[in-house]
Amino acid sequence: MQLRDNLVTDTGWEIREESFNEELLINNGSNFMTGNGYLGYRGTLPEWRADQYVGCFVTDTYDNADGKWEELASAPNGLYVSVSVDGREVSALGGETIDYSRELSFRYGRHARRMSWSMDPRAAGAEANVATPAASAPAESAPPQLTLEDERFASYGNIHLMAARHRLSAHAAGRVTIHAGIDGEVWSLHGEHFRSCEPSSAGDDLYMKTITGERQIGMVVSNRVVFTEGPEPAARELVTEDRGIFRRLDFDVAAGTDIAFELYCVIYTSNDLPDPAGACARDLDQCSEKRYPRLWTEHTRVWDGIWDCSRVDVDGDELAQVLLRYNIYHNVIATPAHTDHLPIGARGLSCQAYQGAAFWDQEIFNLPMFVYTRPDVARRILIYRYKTLDGARRKARRLGYYGAFYAWVSSDTGDEICPSYFFKDVLTGRDIRNHFNDWQIHISPDIAYAVWNYYLVTGDWAFMRDYGAEMLFEIAQFLVSRVHFKRDKHRYEFIRLLGPDEYHENVDNNTFTAVQARYALRAAVNVYVALGDRQPELRESMTARLGIEQSHVDEWRRMVELIHVNEPDLATGVIEQFDGFFDHEDITPDALAERLIDPGEYWGWPNGIAVPTQVSKQADVCQIFTLHRGQYSTEVMKANYDYYEPRTQHGSSLSPSVYGTVASWIGYTDTAREYLVKSSAVDLFNTNKSVSGGTFIGGIHTAACGAAWQMVVFGFCGLELEGETLRFRPHLPESWASVSFFLEIRGALLDVEVASSSVTVTSRATSRSGVGVVVGNTPAEEGGSLEPAESVTLTF
Amino acid sequence: MQLRDNLVTDTGWEIREESFNEELLINNGSNFMTGNGYLGYRGTLPEWRADQYVGCFVTDTYDNADGKWEELASAPNGLYVSVSVDGREVSALGGETIDYSRELSFRYGRHARRMSWSMDPRAAGAEANVATPAASAPAESAPPQLTLEDERFASYGNIHLMAARHRLSAHAAGRVTIHAGIDGEVWSLHGEHFRSCEPSSAGDDLYMKTITGERQIGMVVSNRVVFTEGPEPAARELVTEDRGIFRRLDFDVAAGTDIAFELYCVIYTSNDLPDPAGACARDLDQCSEKRYPRLWTEHTRVWDGIWDCSRVDVDGDELAQVLLRYNIYHNVIATPAHTDHLPIGARGLSCQAYQGAAFWDQEIFNLPMFVYTRPDVARRILIYRYKTLDGARRKARRLGYYGAFYAWVSSDTGDEICPSYFFKDVLTGRDIRNHFNDWQIHISPDIAYAVWNYYLVTGDWAFMRDYGAEMLFEIAQFLVSRVHFKRDKHRYEFIRLLGPDEYHENVDNNTFTAVQARYALRAAVNVYVALGDRQPELRESMTARLGIEQSHVDEWRRMVELIHVNEPDLATGVIEQFDGFFDHEDITPDALAERLIDPGEYWGWPNGIAVPTQVSKQADVCQIFTLHRGQYSTEVMKANYDYYEPRTQHGSSLSPSVYGTVASWIGYTDTAREYLVKSSAVDLFNTNKSVSGGTFIGGIHTAACGAAWQMVVFGFCGLELEGETLRFRPHLPESWASVSFFLEIRGALLDVEVASSSVTVTSRATSRSGVGVVVGNTPAEEGGSLEPAESVTLTF
């Protein structure tokens, strides 16, 4: 089916463009990217360079080059291959392209391009600059062509490896020149990250050894080429440049000649092991042994296992299906599942925007899919938060608090790397002091929420004991140090907040923040009690180490009781987003937009157009429901959806999924599906602006990727965990015959199929425990336990 | 002596310009104004109109014409007189002026102009446009002239009256035409304030009856002319226009003819009495009976009494002397001493800027001079605050508090009239949401400070009982409802403040605010106890009426103990202005100014250039010292002066006097005198910009006027009241031989002369009590009591 303009899918497992639009270079470089959680390689063509936004981003290479933005270093491009024919460079951007198509298959993350190029420049000169699908069938009188086919993948068999293979088919005689090697001319957002960049060769292998400027992280990019078909080269030369090293190979080909080669690129950094260059050499040798087909097989086996857990199959909605796979794919490759000390970047490894760092997105948007399907991955990401506790403690102390105030933008150490001046006032050119880094405190209770929720879904007490408890306690301590008590009102208040709606900084008693804080404190109290019951000595030593006294725990309990949380209005059911919100000007986002002087203006703090209005950047009150559905009636959710949705600008990619989820719960099923498409296609259809307030914010919106899974499983299928019972309250779109997916709940491995009036849950034989299942509003007690190797179908 | 360019003084009692500068029309219209606390008449020429910023502002005529700015209505000009010769209008702005001078005498508020005008246009055409002093002695060959002399005063004998007299001397024959009447074409800042404007005549008298648009206040301006010399007019006509009514009188004069007339303008409003027109008629008749000389005498007697109390005579510094008189004069005429329900406007009655309304300026800057010299006037101004308690209560309730949150901008009702959008972002044209009206809470404790201080100086228990106590209690209640308690730090904090330094909105624990709040609460506790001792039933009924319970009073006491007040740093002595101030960028105001894109930019909230820096608009920490000198050592004051003074932009006219006062205390005597001149000449030398952030803020800076008295008496003479003892710690500038002034302390009427090494205090025979006097650091116990009719000289 056609997805957009020149973008199609055949099986729902891939996207394919059959011509290309130069305006989408940045966007499609992200959409077509490959990656494996260790590295991300942008969806660019082998012959492209910095101007075409070529980038390869390797985890754990944080570097601050411009004094402001700490971000991942942009690695030299170890998959560079360009081809010339009789001195003319073959380029999809050039005028001699006859046909062109490229595809990204989500199943195994395979990027493939096929392109034909006129070997007779005079004939091709009259052709259109960019090939159109109609031009792809060459007429009989067509000029002689060179056909290029290349494919690549970022290996899950060895996460340090990217492998490619190329085939050139010459339909006429000529001189074909291949440049293949490592190119340092790549895209970098904020400056030069390498203090040195040293090209070298060892035998047939090429190396680029770089050292980052700030922390002197060494990164080695290595490259080997193995020719598998074709004539001997007429000439061979090693070309070394300041920022590149290439093999130049000249072939005099006859008509009908094919040249084929495999290319391996291995990357290690000094954060991985002490001798990255040695590791590269070893891995390159392994590649030569295994060769491309076996490397591919090893890679696909891992992916098969991932999809076995992560799949969401929709029967009856091809668009939804391909979008879901696109999003799940990107959520997977963004996630450093191989380690427990690294975050999921808000843009994954698709570019340097948002600094390769975690926001609350990680816990609230990316993580639930993993919690419910691959809890080992979720566990590692949460341990990352444990390992960055010291950074959170430093941040709290620096700002006059104690406990753990997590970084709004968190890289490897957990220290705050969100610049104080994030956006620019494009009207004046002055920097804006955004308070993401000091007022948006909900990050800490959001992490507590994820910790507690992980425990509820997995029952992983060892995690709670070894990691979770300390995080919960320190977050509770931070909240104690941050809250104010209003003696005259006998309540605690959180003052000067920035809630999810980032256009309204500096607000009091933001309801979302208060609800999350109360939840976090309750979890801390629960775990404090449980730890006292199960491991009293551990609790004693832990609280002594953390300086937590009984009076603090008393304060946690008091706060749970007395935190001021705005409740639904008795008459309307609407919950005020923060104190005084309803006094703000009531205007629609569209009407408000007419006040823009410059389309690039930031709408928020301190003087953006949305500040004095009720226009929200994103879901804020409705975000509460997605995390605490059980606490609110459908009527209240509906009242708030109806109030807030028309006042929401969706200036954040986090917003549509929330409204979509709530829409599915309150019976707005068609709207919910529209929101599913809107949220899931934010990148594929390029609907979000990539620059705001002068700051580049493009790349893959990984939170929306994680949200796609949630919209279907939590939203349409209505999954909730009640104690140890799974409840489904499905509202499928009419066109959907069924949805099926996998869940892992406290050791029960479940294949679920939700149809229009039934839910079938099958517990795999490998399940380690039973689980209760109910549908609709059936009381949880009435659901029997589904034991391993059993299946149940419930109708509603 | 020459004061500035064309501005001179002869006796130190007047200012005189001998030519005029059209660029200073607005500024000199304020400097040369006359007034009496009921009305202010700008220092314009009789023939001028709206374009020359003619305005007469009458108290108690608040009106909101544009939906934003409530301000005093601009009354029709009842002193309009223009003269033509042979059809050519005599004008200082025109090309035929030969000589020109005008003077304002502060002693009696007399404005006088003398001007000669060529009766032969051809000869004068070659003259300079604006006469210079050199041109004022006509050469023998000079053309025939018409000389105009006019003078006027705003009467203190009858505050509804302005009287003028005019003399025209024709040195050649010609036709002289006089227009005299009431002109509605006057300057108004924010729209048309009158829904109707009805000219009429009754006999020889002219009337303009107006009704304001918002509250339908009636204002009647009436005018009578009495000719005292000159020929019968050749023609006489009544000219009625939409917005004016005039007598037109034509005289055919011979050479050597003089025409003289007196002009009375009487103004009443329906807020004064039910029949303003009748009152005008009655007063005009009285004027005709009394005539100008007797009206003048009655007026001067009142002024003599005022100066007897308010005088500050400096021997040895002519510039300081004239500036002091200028400022005291303007502080007096700005003050509605005749009533107890009206405020002192921040620009007095000089124009409509700052809405004819009171700010904290009133209590902290204008009032101390009256407290110490004319306590009856201070009492009435404080009763105004009592009478506006309900407005303060309404404001508190509207914002979610209780007690009395006084208006930042307070007119007759005490309701907040400060617009939420005060300034404009001149770079974008967008309104700025300044939080003067909701975050600048120090206004309430500032009023409490003045109430308590008035009581300390006067011992006026009746005031405290009938008015002060309720104000103090309600202010304390407001503070209870505004403060937050940090349980983990066991302290109260005031969050989200705007301190005196208005460039930094949204700060926590502003030290000035905290100190003032603590002082206010302590005063409330003191008075609560005293009232219980003296009048327990009254206290009971009052607290019952106000809903004040014992728990509230307990809270006042706790807050006195536990309010967080930043203390001097142990090492440096510097007090942090608010939490985190020292983390702001450290830059000088001059260096910062280079970042301006437009000179008219507002420097403050939310995104002005000063916001992220340590540059303060005005004294903030040093302001504390001027109000609580006894609490801080000279070393601490010096440390803070040295720190903050170079970082202060003096963007407020309130600033230089504070630094000047502190400078005089820490021995920076020369600098203190420079600050005296700077502060006192802010209007006279036109050193403050009259437009900021798109809002007109010109006019007489009455706070600086009140501050001039304080800088000399509190600053150089070092007056402090310690219990019932006066302490002087003088630091006079070297050139000053002596300063003398009057004080009234708890019934003791004292003439004080401070010389370079002695202080002489003489208690008048009319004193009602004794007072202790000490100098330097002599313990208060060592000062004997100075009884009525006694004198003492103490050396130091």
Side-chain angles (χ1 to χ4, degrees), chain B residues 433-581:
Chain B
R433 172 63 173 103
N434 298 99
H435 288 277
F436 308 134
N437 58 8
D438 51 352
W439 296 349
Q440 202 154 8
I441 69 165
H442 67 80
I443 178 68
S444 277
D446 294 343
I447 290 170
Y449 177 92
V451 164
W452 182 243
N453 212 49
Y454 168 81
Y455 175 67
L456 292 181
V457 175
T458 62
D460 184 353
W461 174 254
F463 167 82
M464 187 57 84
R465 180 195 60 209
D466 297 341
Y467 306 105
E470 186 167 337
M471 295 161 76
L472 292 177
F473 296 170
E474 287 288 75
I475 289 167
Q477 289 291 80
F478 164 64
L479 295 171
V480 166
S481 76
R482 181 56 162 75
V483 81
H484 285 86
F485 190 67
K486 281 290 291 173
R487 290 181 60 101
D488 64 316
K489 292 183 173 164
H490 197 61
R491 70 188 196 191
Y492 290 90
E493 298 192 346
F494 285 104
I495 305 299
R496 191 174 286 121
L497 302 176
L498 216 170
D501 164 20
E502 289 184 328
Y503 290 160
H504 294 96
E505 304 196 20
N506 196 32
V507 306
D508 293 346
N509 296 313
N510 167 253
T511 312
F512 176 83
T513 304
V515 167
Q516 289 292 85
R518 186 170 61 183
Y519 188 90
L521 288 158
R522 197 177 276 135
V525 170
N526 287 347
V527 171
Y528 181 83
V529 171
L531 201 61
D533 290 346
R534 297 190 188 197
Q535 267 139 320
E537 311 77 22
L538 177 64
R539 185 177 89 176
E540 197 163 335
S541 64
M542 189 188 297
T543 52
R545 176 166 55 82
L546 302 177
I548 295 171
E549 294 165 20
Q550 184 58 45
S551 65
H552 290 122
V553 181
D554 294 343
E555 192 73 357
W556 304 350
R557 289 198 169 94
R558 243 189 324 257
M559 285 177 70
V560 168
E561 294 305 313
L562 298 178
I563 285 178
H564 175 56
V565 175
N566 293 313
E567 296 296 337
D569 180 84
L570 288 178
T572 65
V574 180
I575 299 168
E576 192 163 33
Q577 187 174 309
F578 52 77
D579 289 358
F581 180 86

Side-chain angles (χ1 to χ4, degrees), chain A residues 732-773:
Chain A
L732 297 195
E734 214 162 318
S735 65
W736 292 21
S738 69
V739 189
S740 63
F741 51 88
F742 169 82
L743 295 176
E744 176 172 345
I745 308 291
R746 295 172 175 256
L749 311 179
L750 309 170
D751 290 299
V752 180
E753 181 176 283
V754 177
S756 58
S757 60
S758 68
V759 176
T760 300
V761 183
T762 304
S763 183
R764 295 184 183 176
T766 46
S767 289
R768 299 181 302 280
S769 66
V771 67
V773 182

Side-chain angles (χ1 to χ4, degrees), chain A residues 470-708:
Chain A
E470 185 167 337
M471 294 162 77
L472 292 177
F473 295 170
E474 288 287 74
I475 289 167
Q477 290 290 80
F478 164 64
L479 294 171
V480 167
S481 76
R482 180 56 162 75
V483 82
H484 285 85
F485 190 66
K486 281 289 293 172
R487 289 181 62 102
D488 63 316
K489 292 184 174 163
H490 197 61
R491 70 189 197 192
Y492 290 89
E493 297 191 348
F494 285 104
I495 305 299
R496 191 174 287 120
L497 302 175
L498 217 170
D501 164 20
E502 288 184 328
Y503 290 160
H504 294 96
E505 303 196 21
N506 195 34
V507 306
D508 293 347
N509 296 314
N510 168 253
T511 312
F512 176 84
T513 304
V515 167
Q516 289 292 84
R518 185 169 61 183
Y519 188 91
L521 289 157
R522 197 177 277 138
V525 170
N526 286 347
V527 171
Y528 181 83
V529 171
L531 202 61
D533 290 346
R534 297 189 187 197
Q535 266 140 321
E537 312 76 23
L538 177 64
R539 186 177 88 176
E540 197 163 336
S541 64
M542 189 187 298
T543 52
R545 175 165 56 81
L546 302 177
I548 294 171
E549 294 165 20
Q550 184 57 45
S551 65
H552 290 121
V553 182
D554 294 343
E555 191 73 356
W556 303 350
R557 289 198 169 96
R558 244 190 321 258
M559 284 177 71
V560 169
E561 293 305 312
L562 298 178
I563 285 178
H564 175 56
V565 175
N566 293 313
E567 296 297 337
D569 181 83
L570 288 179
T572 65
V574 181
I575 298 168
E576 192 164 33
Q577 187 174 310
F578 52 76
D579 289 357
F581 180 86
F582 293 141
D583 299 333
H584 286 211
E585 182 187 354
D586 197 5
I587 185 173
T588 65
D590 284 347
L592 183 60
E594 288 172 15
R595 297 182 189 167
L596 285 173
I597 297 168
D598 180 314
E601 277 180 59
Y602 180 60
W603 285 37
W605 175 271
N607 209 22
I609 55 171
V611 173
T613 76
Q614 294 188 35
V615 170
S616 297
K617 182 180 176 192
Q618 65 196 88
D620 193 306
V621 167
C622 285
Q623 181 85 55
I624 299 169
F625 305 144
T626 64
L627 305 182
H628 305 276
R629 181 182 180 183
Q631 307 301 309
Y632 297 92
S633 70
T634 304
E635 290 66 37
V636 163
M637 291 195 285
K638 187 170 177 311
N640 284 279
Y641 180 98
D642 289 345
Y643 189 84
Y644 285 105
E645 196 263 357
R647 292 165 174 83
T648 302
Q649 185 231 359
H650 302 306
S652 163
S653 60
L654 310 187
S655 190
S657 69
V658 174
Y659 281 111
T661 300
V662 176
S664 67
W665 292 343
I666 60 178
Y668 292 1
T669 314
D670 291 345
T671 305
R673 188 204 170 263
E674 283 164 26
Y675 268 121
L676 174 67
V677 172
K678 182 179 165 119
S679 176
S680 303
V682 60
D683 293 315
L684 195 61
F685 295 172
N686 192 28
T687 54
N688 258 44
K689 59 181 178 181
S690 60
V691 175
S692 179
T695 295
F696 179 76
I697 55 172
I700 292 294
H701 294 73
T702 64
C705 299

Side-chain angles (χ1 to χ4, degrees), chain A residues 45-49 80-83 89-92 113 115:
Chain A
L45 301 186
E47 63 270 22
W48 284 355
R49 311 189 70 186
Y80 179 84
V81 175
S82 69
V83 175
E89 198 174 336
V90 175
S91 165
R113 182 261 305 258
M115 187 170 95

Side-chain angles (χ1 to χ4, degrees), chain A residues 149-184:
Chain A
E149 290 171 292
D150 53 72
E151 63 172 56
R152 66 170 175 259
F153 63 95
S155 172
Y156 265 97
N158 171 6
I159 55 175
H160 299 276
L161 168 68
M162 293 185 291
R165 89 182 151 183
H166 291 246
R167 171 173 295 274
L168 286 65
S169 305
H171 300 187
R175 166 155 283 215
V176 171
T177 305
I178 297 171
H179 269 79
I182 307 173
D183 180 22

